Short mmCIF file of all heavy atoms in Angstrom, two decimals:
data_model
loop_
_atom_site.label_atom_id
_atom_site.label_comp_id
_atom_site.label_asym_id
_atom_site.label_seq_id
_atom_site.Cartn_x
_atom_site.Cartn_y
_atom_site.Cartn_z
N LEU B 1 -170.31 -70.93 -67.54
CA LEU B 1 -170.51 -70.33 -66.28
C LEU B 1 -170.40 -68.81 -66.51
O LEU B 1 -169.47 -68.32 -67.07
CB LEU B 1 -169.41 -70.78 -65.26
CG LEU B 1 -169.38 -70.07 -63.91
CD1 LEU B 1 -170.64 -70.33 -63.18
CD2 LEU B 1 -168.13 -70.57 -63.20
N VAL B 2 -171.38 -68.09 -65.89
CA VAL B 2 -171.41 -66.68 -66.04
C VAL B 2 -171.95 -66.05 -64.69
O VAL B 2 -172.74 -66.72 -63.98
CB VAL B 2 -172.27 -66.23 -67.27
CG1 VAL B 2 -173.72 -66.63 -67.04
CG2 VAL B 2 -172.12 -64.73 -67.54
N GLN B 3 -171.53 -64.82 -64.42
CA GLN B 3 -172.06 -64.18 -63.23
C GLN B 3 -173.48 -63.60 -63.50
O GLN B 3 -173.78 -63.28 -64.63
CB GLN B 3 -171.14 -63.04 -62.78
CG GLN B 3 -169.86 -63.56 -62.11
CD GLN B 3 -169.04 -62.40 -61.53
OE1 GLN B 3 -169.05 -61.29 -61.99
NE2 GLN B 3 -168.25 -62.76 -60.50
N ALA B 4 -174.19 -63.40 -62.50
CA ALA B 4 -175.52 -62.73 -62.60
C ALA B 4 -175.35 -61.44 -63.31
O ALA B 4 -174.48 -60.66 -62.94
CB ALA B 4 -176.17 -62.58 -61.23
N GLY B 5 -176.25 -61.16 -64.27
CA GLY B 5 -176.21 -59.91 -65.01
C GLY B 5 -175.45 -60.09 -66.27
O GLY B 5 -175.50 -59.14 -67.14
N GLY B 6 -174.78 -61.21 -66.47
CA GLY B 6 -173.99 -61.36 -67.62
C GLY B 6 -174.83 -61.97 -68.81
O GLY B 6 -176.02 -62.13 -68.75
N SER B 7 -174.08 -62.27 -69.87
CA SER B 7 -174.75 -62.76 -71.11
C SER B 7 -174.05 -64.06 -71.65
O SER B 7 -172.92 -64.30 -71.41
CB SER B 7 -174.68 -61.68 -72.19
OG SER B 7 -175.34 -60.52 -71.79
N LEU B 8 -174.79 -64.84 -72.31
CA LEU B 8 -174.35 -66.04 -73.03
C LEU B 8 -175.16 -66.13 -74.29
O LEU B 8 -176.39 -65.74 -74.35
CB LEU B 8 -174.53 -67.29 -72.23
CG LEU B 8 -173.50 -67.57 -71.09
CD1 LEU B 8 -173.94 -68.83 -70.29
CD2 LEU B 8 -172.10 -67.73 -71.61
N ARG B 9 -174.56 -66.79 -75.27
CA ARG B 9 -175.29 -67.10 -76.53
C ARG B 9 -175.23 -68.58 -76.87
O ARG B 9 -174.09 -69.07 -76.97
CB ARG B 9 -174.69 -66.25 -77.71
CG ARG B 9 -175.48 -66.36 -78.95
CD ARG B 9 -174.76 -65.61 -80.13
NE ARG B 9 -175.58 -65.39 -81.30
CZ ARG B 9 -175.11 -65.55 -82.51
NH1 ARG B 9 -173.89 -65.94 -82.75
NH2 ARG B 9 -175.90 -65.32 -83.51
N LEU B 10 -176.38 -69.19 -76.91
CA LEU B 10 -176.37 -70.60 -77.29
C LEU B 10 -176.67 -70.70 -78.82
O LEU B 10 -177.37 -69.95 -79.40
CB LEU B 10 -177.49 -71.33 -76.52
CG LEU B 10 -177.52 -71.23 -75.02
CD1 LEU B 10 -178.56 -72.07 -74.40
CD2 LEU B 10 -176.16 -71.62 -74.45
N SER B 11 -176.05 -71.77 -79.38
CA SER B 11 -176.35 -72.10 -80.74
C SER B 11 -176.78 -73.50 -80.94
O SER B 11 -176.32 -74.39 -80.08
CB SER B 11 -175.04 -71.89 -81.67
OG SER B 11 -174.61 -70.56 -81.53
N CYS B 12 -177.56 -73.79 -81.89
CA CYS B 12 -177.96 -75.23 -82.17
C CYS B 12 -178.10 -75.31 -83.71
O CYS B 12 -178.82 -74.55 -84.31
CB CYS B 12 -179.30 -75.46 -81.56
SG CYS B 12 -180.03 -77.11 -81.98
N LYS B 13 -177.38 -76.33 -84.24
CA LYS B 13 -177.45 -76.50 -85.72
C LYS B 13 -177.82 -77.95 -85.97
O LYS B 13 -177.60 -78.78 -85.18
CB LYS B 13 -176.17 -76.10 -86.37
CG LYS B 13 -174.99 -76.96 -86.05
CD LYS B 13 -173.78 -76.57 -86.89
CE LYS B 13 -172.54 -77.45 -86.65
NZ LYS B 13 -171.41 -77.03 -87.51
N THR B 14 -178.46 -78.15 -87.12
CA THR B 14 -178.83 -79.53 -87.49
C THR B 14 -177.66 -80.18 -88.12
O THR B 14 -176.75 -79.51 -88.74
CB THR B 14 -180.01 -79.48 -88.42
OG1 THR B 14 -179.67 -78.62 -89.57
CG2 THR B 14 -181.27 -78.91 -87.85
N SER B 15 -177.62 -81.54 -88.06
CA SER B 15 -176.46 -82.26 -88.51
C SER B 15 -176.41 -82.30 -90.05
O SER B 15 -175.44 -82.66 -90.69
CB SER B 15 -176.48 -83.69 -88.02
OG SER B 15 -177.67 -84.28 -88.32
N LYS B 16 -177.57 -81.96 -90.68
CA LYS B 16 -177.58 -81.86 -92.14
C LYS B 16 -178.61 -80.73 -92.50
O LYS B 16 -179.40 -80.35 -91.64
CB LYS B 16 -177.99 -83.15 -92.81
CG LYS B 16 -179.34 -83.71 -92.38
CD LYS B 16 -179.65 -85.01 -93.07
CE LYS B 16 -181.00 -85.59 -92.68
NZ LYS B 16 -181.31 -86.85 -93.29
N ILE B 17 -178.46 -80.18 -93.68
CA ILE B 17 -179.35 -79.13 -94.05
C ILE B 17 -180.76 -79.63 -94.31
O ILE B 17 -180.95 -80.64 -95.09
CB ILE B 17 -178.86 -78.43 -95.33
CG1 ILE B 17 -177.45 -77.76 -95.07
CG2 ILE B 17 -179.85 -77.38 -95.84
CD1 ILE B 17 -176.87 -77.08 -96.27
N VAL B 18 -181.69 -79.09 -93.55
CA VAL B 18 -183.12 -79.46 -93.71
C VAL B 18 -183.93 -78.23 -93.80
O VAL B 18 -183.61 -77.16 -93.18
CB VAL B 18 -183.55 -80.31 -92.46
CG1 VAL B 18 -182.91 -81.69 -92.50
CG2 VAL B 18 -183.34 -79.62 -91.19
N PHE B 19 -185.05 -78.34 -94.48
CA PHE B 19 -185.93 -77.14 -94.67
C PHE B 19 -187.39 -77.41 -94.19
O PHE B 19 -188.19 -76.60 -94.26
CB PHE B 19 -185.87 -76.71 -96.08
CG PHE B 19 -184.59 -76.20 -96.51
CD1 PHE B 19 -183.72 -77.04 -97.23
CD2 PHE B 19 -184.15 -74.94 -96.19
CE1 PHE B 19 -182.48 -76.59 -97.68
CE2 PHE B 19 -182.87 -74.48 -96.58
CZ PHE B 19 -182.05 -75.35 -97.36
N ASP B 20 -187.63 -78.66 -93.71
CA ASP B 20 -189.01 -79.04 -93.39
C ASP B 20 -189.30 -79.11 -91.87
O ASP B 20 -190.15 -79.85 -91.44
CB ASP B 20 -189.39 -80.29 -94.02
CG ASP B 20 -188.43 -81.42 -93.71
OD1 ASP B 20 -187.39 -81.17 -93.01
OD2 ASP B 20 -188.68 -82.62 -94.09
N ILE B 21 -188.54 -78.36 -91.10
CA ILE B 21 -188.78 -78.26 -89.62
C ILE B 21 -190.00 -77.32 -89.49
O ILE B 21 -190.07 -76.24 -90.01
CB ILE B 21 -187.55 -77.73 -88.91
CG1 ILE B 21 -186.49 -78.82 -89.00
CG2 ILE B 21 -187.93 -77.45 -87.47
CD1 ILE B 21 -185.17 -78.39 -88.38
N ASN B 22 -190.92 -77.71 -88.59
CA ASN B 22 -192.08 -76.95 -88.30
C ASN B 22 -191.82 -75.83 -87.21
O ASN B 22 -192.21 -74.70 -87.27
CB ASN B 22 -193.25 -77.74 -87.93
CG ASN B 22 -193.64 -78.75 -89.05
OD1 ASN B 22 -193.41 -79.92 -88.95
ND2 ASN B 22 -194.32 -78.16 -90.03
N ILE B 23 -191.19 -76.36 -86.13
CA ILE B 23 -190.87 -75.56 -84.93
C ILE B 23 -189.55 -75.92 -84.50
O ILE B 23 -189.18 -77.14 -84.43
CB ILE B 23 -191.91 -75.69 -83.88
CG1 ILE B 23 -193.31 -75.38 -84.35
CG2 ILE B 23 -191.61 -74.77 -82.68
CD1 ILE B 23 -194.44 -75.70 -83.31
N MET B 24 -188.71 -75.00 -84.00
CA MET B 24 -187.44 -75.25 -83.41
C MET B 24 -187.24 -74.28 -82.23
O MET B 24 -187.76 -73.15 -82.32
CB MET B 24 -186.31 -75.14 -84.45
CG MET B 24 -185.00 -75.74 -84.05
SD MET B 24 -183.96 -75.95 -85.56
CE MET B 24 -182.46 -76.55 -84.76
N GLY B 25 -186.69 -74.83 -81.15
CA GLY B 25 -186.56 -73.96 -80.03
C GLY B 25 -185.72 -74.52 -78.86
O GLY B 25 -184.92 -75.50 -79.09
N TRP B 26 -185.76 -73.89 -77.78
CA TRP B 26 -185.00 -74.21 -76.59
C TRP B 26 -185.94 -74.53 -75.40
O TRP B 26 -186.82 -73.82 -75.10
CB TRP B 26 -184.08 -72.96 -76.22
CG TRP B 26 -182.95 -72.72 -77.29
CD1 TRP B 26 -183.15 -71.84 -78.32
CD2 TRP B 26 -181.78 -73.34 -77.38
NE1 TRP B 26 -182.01 -71.84 -79.02
CE2 TRP B 26 -181.12 -72.79 -78.49
CE3 TRP B 26 -181.06 -74.31 -76.62
CZ2 TRP B 26 -179.83 -73.13 -78.87
CZ3 TRP B 26 -179.80 -74.67 -77.06
CH2 TRP B 26 -179.22 -74.14 -78.11
N TYR B 27 -185.51 -75.59 -74.73
CA TYR B 27 -186.18 -75.97 -73.45
C TYR B 27 -185.04 -75.93 -72.33
O TYR B 27 -183.83 -75.98 -72.76
CB TYR B 27 -186.73 -77.30 -73.47
CG TYR B 27 -188.04 -77.40 -74.27
CD1 TYR B 27 -188.10 -77.23 -75.62
CD2 TYR B 27 -189.27 -77.59 -73.63
CE1 TYR B 27 -189.21 -77.33 -76.37
CE2 TYR B 27 -190.44 -77.67 -74.31
CZ TYR B 27 -190.45 -77.57 -75.67
OH TYR B 27 -191.66 -77.63 -76.41
N ARG B 28 -185.43 -75.94 -71.12
CA ARG B 28 -184.37 -76.05 -70.12
C ARG B 28 -184.96 -76.91 -68.96
O ARG B 28 -186.14 -77.03 -68.73
CB ARG B 28 -183.95 -74.67 -69.59
CG ARG B 28 -185.06 -73.87 -68.83
CD ARG B 28 -184.50 -72.47 -68.50
NE ARG B 28 -185.50 -71.67 -67.83
CZ ARG B 28 -185.42 -70.39 -67.50
NH1 ARG B 28 -184.32 -69.76 -67.84
NH2 ARG B 28 -186.37 -69.75 -66.89
N GLN B 29 -183.98 -77.52 -68.21
CA GLN B 29 -184.30 -78.32 -67.09
C GLN B 29 -183.39 -78.10 -65.93
O GLN B 29 -182.20 -78.35 -66.07
CB GLN B 29 -184.36 -79.79 -67.44
CG GLN B 29 -184.89 -80.68 -66.37
CD GLN B 29 -185.16 -82.10 -66.90
OE1 GLN B 29 -184.67 -82.50 -67.91
NE2 GLN B 29 -185.96 -82.85 -66.17
N ALA B 30 -183.88 -77.56 -64.84
CA ALA B 30 -183.10 -77.35 -63.66
C ALA B 30 -183.16 -78.52 -62.76
O ALA B 30 -184.07 -79.37 -62.97
CB ALA B 30 -183.62 -76.10 -62.89
N PRO B 31 -182.23 -78.74 -61.86
CA PRO B 31 -182.17 -79.94 -61.05
C PRO B 31 -183.50 -80.04 -60.22
O PRO B 31 -183.95 -79.13 -59.64
CB PRO B 31 -180.95 -79.63 -60.11
CG PRO B 31 -180.10 -78.72 -60.84
CD PRO B 31 -181.00 -77.88 -61.67
N GLY B 32 -184.09 -81.20 -60.33
CA GLY B 32 -185.33 -81.50 -59.63
C GLY B 32 -186.59 -80.88 -60.24
O GLY B 32 -187.64 -80.93 -59.62
N GLN B 33 -186.40 -80.27 -61.34
CA GLN B 33 -187.60 -79.65 -62.00
C GLN B 33 -187.88 -80.33 -63.34
O GLN B 33 -187.07 -81.06 -63.89
CB GLN B 33 -187.19 -78.13 -62.26
CG GLN B 33 -186.69 -77.38 -61.12
CD GLN B 33 -187.83 -76.68 -60.39
OE1 GLN B 33 -188.91 -76.57 -60.84
NE2 GLN B 33 -187.49 -76.23 -59.18
N GLN B 34 -189.10 -80.02 -63.78
CA GLN B 34 -189.51 -80.60 -65.17
C GLN B 34 -188.85 -79.73 -66.24
O GLN B 34 -188.52 -78.50 -66.04
CB GLN B 34 -191.04 -80.49 -65.28
CG GLN B 34 -191.72 -81.56 -64.40
CD GLN B 34 -193.21 -81.65 -64.76
OE1 GLN B 34 -193.84 -80.66 -65.08
NE2 GLN B 34 -193.79 -82.85 -64.61
N ARG B 35 -188.76 -80.35 -67.37
CA ARG B 35 -188.27 -79.60 -68.57
C ARG B 35 -189.31 -78.59 -68.95
O ARG B 35 -190.53 -78.91 -69.09
CB ARG B 35 -187.86 -80.59 -69.70
CG ARG B 35 -187.13 -79.92 -70.80
CD ARG B 35 -186.65 -80.94 -71.83
NE ARG B 35 -185.69 -81.96 -71.22
CZ ARG B 35 -185.06 -82.84 -71.98
NH1 ARG B 35 -185.25 -82.94 -73.19
NH2 ARG B 35 -184.31 -83.70 -71.29
N GLU B 36 -188.87 -77.36 -69.26
CA GLU B 36 -189.78 -76.32 -69.63
C GLU B 36 -189.36 -75.57 -70.90
O GLU B 36 -188.18 -75.46 -71.20
CB GLU B 36 -189.99 -75.28 -68.47
CG GLU B 36 -188.72 -74.52 -68.11
CD GLU B 36 -188.87 -73.53 -66.99
OE1 GLU B 36 -190.02 -73.53 -66.34
OE2 GLU B 36 -187.97 -72.75 -66.78
N LEU B 37 -190.39 -75.05 -71.61
CA LEU B 37 -190.06 -74.30 -72.78
C LEU B 37 -189.48 -72.95 -72.44
O LEU B 37 -190.01 -72.22 -71.53
CB LEU B 37 -191.34 -74.08 -73.61
CG LEU B 37 -191.21 -73.21 -74.83
CD1 LEU B 37 -190.32 -73.85 -75.91
CD2 LEU B 37 -192.59 -72.86 -75.41
N VAL B 38 -188.44 -72.59 -73.12
CA VAL B 38 -187.86 -71.22 -72.97
C VAL B 38 -188.27 -70.37 -74.13
O VAL B 38 -188.80 -69.24 -73.91
CB VAL B 38 -186.28 -71.31 -72.98
CG1 VAL B 38 -185.71 -69.90 -72.87
CG2 VAL B 38 -185.85 -72.20 -71.86
N ALA B 39 -188.12 -70.79 -75.33
CA ALA B 39 -188.53 -69.97 -76.52
C ALA B 39 -188.53 -70.90 -77.69
O ALA B 39 -187.74 -71.87 -77.73
CB ALA B 39 -187.52 -68.81 -76.71
N ASN B 40 -189.36 -70.63 -78.66
CA ASN B 40 -189.33 -71.38 -79.93
C ASN B 40 -189.69 -70.46 -81.11
O ASN B 40 -190.27 -69.32 -80.88
CB ASN B 40 -190.17 -72.60 -79.86
CG ASN B 40 -191.70 -72.33 -79.59
OD1 ASN B 40 -192.16 -71.27 -79.79
ND2 ASN B 40 -192.35 -73.36 -79.17
N ILE B 41 -189.40 -70.91 -82.29
CA ILE B 41 -189.71 -70.16 -83.47
C ILE B 41 -190.23 -71.09 -84.52
O ILE B 41 -189.71 -72.19 -84.75
CB ILE B 41 -188.42 -69.39 -83.98
CG1 ILE B 41 -188.71 -68.55 -85.20
CG2 ILE B 41 -187.31 -70.38 -84.23
CD1 ILE B 41 -187.59 -67.53 -85.48
N THR B 42 -191.30 -70.70 -85.25
CA THR B 42 -191.96 -71.55 -86.19
C THR B 42 -191.36 -71.31 -87.60
O THR B 42 -190.60 -70.37 -87.80
CB THR B 42 -193.45 -71.31 -86.29
OG1 THR B 42 -193.68 -70.03 -86.86
CG2 THR B 42 -194.09 -71.33 -84.89
N ARG B 43 -191.79 -72.21 -88.51
CA ARG B 43 -191.33 -72.13 -89.90
C ARG B 43 -191.65 -70.75 -90.47
O ARG B 43 -190.94 -70.18 -91.28
CB ARG B 43 -192.01 -73.18 -90.71
CG ARG B 43 -191.64 -73.25 -92.15
CD ARG B 43 -192.75 -73.88 -93.01
NE ARG B 43 -192.98 -75.20 -92.54
CZ ARG B 43 -192.39 -76.29 -93.20
NH1 ARG B 43 -191.64 -76.17 -94.19
NH2 ARG B 43 -192.63 -77.51 -92.81
N THR B 44 -192.83 -70.15 -90.04
CA THR B 44 -193.28 -68.88 -90.60
C THR B 44 -192.70 -67.71 -89.81
O THR B 44 -193.02 -66.58 -90.13
CB THR B 44 -194.82 -68.86 -90.55
OG1 THR B 44 -195.26 -68.96 -89.16
CG2 THR B 44 -195.41 -69.84 -91.35
N GLY B 45 -191.91 -68.00 -88.83
CA GLY B 45 -191.21 -66.90 -88.08
C GLY B 45 -191.90 -66.47 -86.77
O GLY B 45 -191.45 -65.50 -86.22
N ARG B 46 -193.01 -67.11 -86.45
CA ARG B 46 -193.68 -66.74 -85.18
C ARG B 46 -192.78 -67.17 -84.04
O ARG B 46 -192.33 -68.28 -83.95
CB ARG B 46 -195.01 -67.42 -85.12
CG ARG B 46 -195.80 -67.04 -83.79
CD ARG B 46 -197.05 -67.82 -83.75
NE ARG B 46 -197.97 -67.60 -84.82
CZ ARG B 46 -199.10 -68.19 -84.96
NH1 ARG B 46 -199.51 -69.04 -84.03
NH2 ARG B 46 -199.88 -67.94 -86.03
N ILE B 47 -192.69 -66.31 -83.07
CA ILE B 47 -191.78 -66.57 -81.89
C ILE B 47 -192.63 -66.57 -80.60
O ILE B 47 -193.61 -65.78 -80.46
CB ILE B 47 -190.69 -65.44 -81.84
CG1 ILE B 47 -189.67 -65.68 -82.98
CG2 ILE B 47 -189.93 -65.51 -80.50
CD1 ILE B 47 -188.68 -64.55 -83.07
#
């Protein structure tokens, strides 16, 4: 929980070390809404 204007940092790690992921990213879903892409990053670093 944070007030408007504040900051948070999310982390996501894999359960084991892997190197063959093509794309990894974050989606979000608000109540009553569809899940939507927030941001992603590819193996080559494209964001």
